Amino acid sequence: MRVDLNSDLGESFGRYKLGLDEEVMKYITSANVACGWHAGDPLVMRKTIRLAKENGVEVGAHPGYPDLMGFGRRYMKLTPEEARNYILYQIGALYAFVRAEGLELQHVKPHGALYNAMVKEEDLARAVIEGILDFDKNLILVTLSNSRVAEIAEEMGLKVAHEVFADRAYNPDGTLVPRSQPGAVIHDKEEIAERVISMVKDGGVRAINGEWIELKVDTICVHGDNPKAVEITAHIRKKLEEEGVKIVPLRDIIGRIQHDHTQSNL
């Protein structure tokens, strides 16, 4: 069994510091780096990419709504043309720093409200996917496990990584419980680890109402912006490895799946 650990990083801005990037980076295999619209700035972007390089962590773009004040967690109504070009713009901005550091871009993971809106709005999902394809058809889209977004992306020829969330509660339909609701975020590291192991080994988890929901798992999101982020991330990795799960970058997982599929058709 193989799985990727990803985290949303590079979300500081100017003199405002957010997250524990230096410590969290030691335990993950893929970093989603903010592109300057919901968070991040040119100095933070380059610093984060250098940090990823030093730790052997793969880099992905983390584009969001143009909403610094709301940290990209407020819904915005976009036309397909706006969405497509907003995504292309942000990927391009981050890639300038990725290339300057001699790295390659591995994936794209939309942020916050944009990520959630794509699950509900097919036109928005298609526009975002078109923006990614405009830049590089070999990029991997990180999206909510078993969502319609994943199906659309695969139909449009984009590689997909099914993502689950270590510290978030799920609705029975597989969507995340909104942060505004009680119990949406889980804080106990033992409970988080148990849920992650269930997702990876059993292929699912209990929803907030107790119902069992099935999940595909290529990558696990661990949040780096709370005081216990480092402790929780280290604990998750330790427990997974104790269960015989290898922690590897998305490139290894998605590439292996594609290779195996090709071989089976020979």
Side-chain angles (χ1 to χ4, degrees):
M1 287 182 290
R2 298 183 180 191
V3 73
D4 170 68
L5 287 182
N6 80 75
S7 189
D8 305 340
L9 302 176
E11 293 182 322
S12 297
F13 180 80
R15 297 183 65 177
Y16 299 94
K17 180 174 172 56
L18 181 67
L20 302 166
D21 293 9
E22 291 83 359
E23 294 302 315
V24 171
M25 196 77 82
K26 297 176 183 177
Y27 300 102
I28 63 172
T29 41
S30 296
N32 318 310
V33 183
C35 302
W37 275 24
H38 79 276
D41 62 41
L43 295 176
V44 171
M45 290 159 74
R46 187 155 199 172
K47 179 181 178 182
T48 308
I49 291 164
R50 282 178 173 166
L51 189 61
K53 185 177 181 179
E54 291 168 7
N55 286 272
V57 172
E58 295 287 342
V59 175
H62 195 39
Y65 286 132
D67 181 25
L68 276 173
M69 289 290 287
F71 195 64
R73 287 182 176 162
R74 300 183 292 191
Y75 173 77
M76 297 178 70
K77 180 65 177 176
L78 302 181
T79 67
E81 183 179 14
E82 287 173 332
R84 181 174 183 171
N85 288 301
Y86 286 3
I87 293 300
L88 182 60
Y89 180 94
Q90 292 179 79
I91 296 173
L94 186 75
Y95 181 69
F97 297 105
V98 171
R99 182 172 177 178
E101 293 299 325
L103 300 179
E104 291 295 328
L105 202 60
Q106 174 188 250
H107 66 280
V108 176
K109 175 186 168 180
H111 167 78
L114 177 61
Y115 182 104
N116 292 325
M118 287 173 63
V119 175
K120 301 174 182 177
E121 300 179 19
E122 187 165 318
D123 287 347
L124 177 63
R126 290 186 181 279
V128 169
I129 292 163
E130 286 170 351
I132 298 170
L133 290 170
D134 285 342
F135 187 84
D136 185 350
K137 66 181 180 180
N138 294 309
L139 290 172
I140 301 165
L141 172 66
V142 176
T143 191
L144 189 66
S145 176
N146 286 351
S147 66
R148 176 62 180 143
V149 180
E151 294 177 358
I152 294 169
E154 289 173 344
E155 290 168 4
M156 294 175 68
L158 192 61
K159 294 178 182 178
V160 172
H162 291 261
E163 180 181 41
V164 296
F165 290 78
D167 62 352
R168 294 293 302 277
Y170 280 80
N171 292 310
D173 64 356
T175 59
L176 299 177
V177 174
R179 288 176 178 269
S180 58
Q181 294 185 17
V185 180
I186 301 162
H187 300 283
D188 181 79
K189 70 177 184 179
E190 297 299 339
E191 181 181 356
I192 291 171
E194 288 175 8
R195 288 170 65 84
V196 165
I197 291 169
S198 173
M199 291 171 179
V200 174
K201 299 195 72 174
D202 302 327
V205 74
R206 294 289 173 188
I208 197 164
N209 67 347
E211 289 184 30
W212 177 261
I213 53 173
E214 294 185 356
L215 297 168
K216 294 179 182 178
V217 185
D218 296 317
T219 185
I220 300 165
C221 179
V222 289
H223 288 110
D225 59 352
N226 69 69
K228 294 185 177 180
V230 178
E231 180 184 353
I232 290 171
T233 303
H235 188 66
I236 289 171
R237 178 156 188 158
K238 178 175 178 287
K239 289 297 184 180
L240 284 171
E241 290 176 336
E242 287 176 354
E243 292 290 330
V245 179
K246 293 183 178 180
I247 312 300
V248 299
L250 270 180
R251 199 186 300 279
D252 293 351
I253 298 169
I254 305 303
R256 180 173 62 87
I257 292 171
Q258 295 293 328
H259 176 73
D260 290 349
H261 176 71
T262 302
Q263 290 293 102
S264 68
N265 287 334
L266 292 178

